[in-house]
Amino acid sequence: MGEHVNDRWPARLHVVTGKGGTGKTTVAAALALGLAEGGRRTLLVEVEGRQGIAQLFEVEPLPYKELRIAEVAGGGEVRALAVDAEEALLEYLDMFYHLGAAGRALRKVGAIDFATTIAPGLRDVLLTGKVKEATTRSHDGHRVYDAVVLDAPPTGRIGRFLNVTAETAKLTKVGPIKTQSEGVASLLRSPITSVHVVTLLEEMPVQETLDAIAELKALNISLGRIIVNGARPALLTAGKVTKAELKRGLAEAGLATDAATVNGLAAEAKAYLTRRDLEESLRGELAESGRPTIELPLLPGGADRAGLDELASELMRA
Ligand SMILES: Nc1ncnc2c1ncn2[C@@H]1O[C@H](COP(=O)(O)OP(=O)(O)O)[C@@H](O)[C@H]1O
Ligand SMILES: [Mg+2]
């Protein structure tokens, strides 16, 4: 397993964010599949307890364990992990303090009522700390994973989630948590990491994409690409379509040329052209950010394995 998985995707930790519903989980999965081509091993991680990966691959809810969820032609594989903050804390305490049975007892009595008591900053450093551990893990002198892809929180929360040092500095000035958060902070600012933002060509997701890029840039976090998902090919190239042209076209095709048909088609063409113009101006706004952009097609059959493979090859070509 080489140091460079892919010249076009040189990072080893790929963080995928975007406005909710734009296709973060789908794109993260496709990227993990693509990067596993050529006999590589990748890890697809989720941190929000949604079991989005299990749903996408139609498997049982994922435990806190790295399990193979997909094989890739050429001998590659994708493993998946749903990181849970409570499990990550117990694992972490065990590593530093060798809690063993005490840790299990702690869990049993429910001493750590996570959902309600943990400070969000601590929770995030546990989650990102686990991601860092998987990214940097090696076994017998080889990296366990050629690449790790994180299905991350949405754009509205990504800055806070990744800015672990600032958040934990409020909680702890010394000790292992501080050390861990500094390690994560430097990983996220190194070329090992790349944060990609998924968007649709719609106003709100594009605005959130631009906001997230500005926020991450200010935090010095390594930015990757903008991934425009669900892009549709251009149907009409003209600036506008006249009714006379439509009528002529219908007649040539041997179709009805009554006023209702012509008016209906004209309205559809106009709506399409308006949408296309809006999409063009949104593409322009995204381009102004200076980030490299990739477009992924809208899959007519949805995001099944064949669809994911199609997105994976688009990503690897880009
Ligand atoms: N390129 C695509 N073509 C068709 N359907 C897609 C595509 N990308 C995502 N979807 C579908 O859109 C929905 C939202 O995608 P998902 O990855 O779950 O978004 P998110 O994780 O950002 O909330 C899902 O039903 C998914 O199958
Ligand atoms: Mg999701």
Side-chain angles (χ1 to χ4, degrees), residues 6 15 21 29 32 64 71 87 168 220 248 256 261 267 270 290 298 302:
N6 186 304
V15 178
Y64 185 62
E71 285 179 44
E87 293 293 335
T168 49
N220 271 320
R248 204 165 47 239
T261 305
K270 194 171 170 208
L298 183 73

Side-chain angles (χ1 to χ4, degrees), residues 21 23-26 46 48 50 52 151-152:
K24 279 189 305 298
T25 303
T26 306
E46 69 175 23
E48 298 215 286
R50 290 169 182 261
D151 180 6

Side-chain angles (χ1 to χ4, degrees), residues 288-305:
E288 271 174 41
S289 74
R291 303 309 314 165
T293 301
I294 312 170
E295 296 206 5
L296 294 179
L298 183 73
L299 299 164
D304 57 5
R305 177 65 199 267

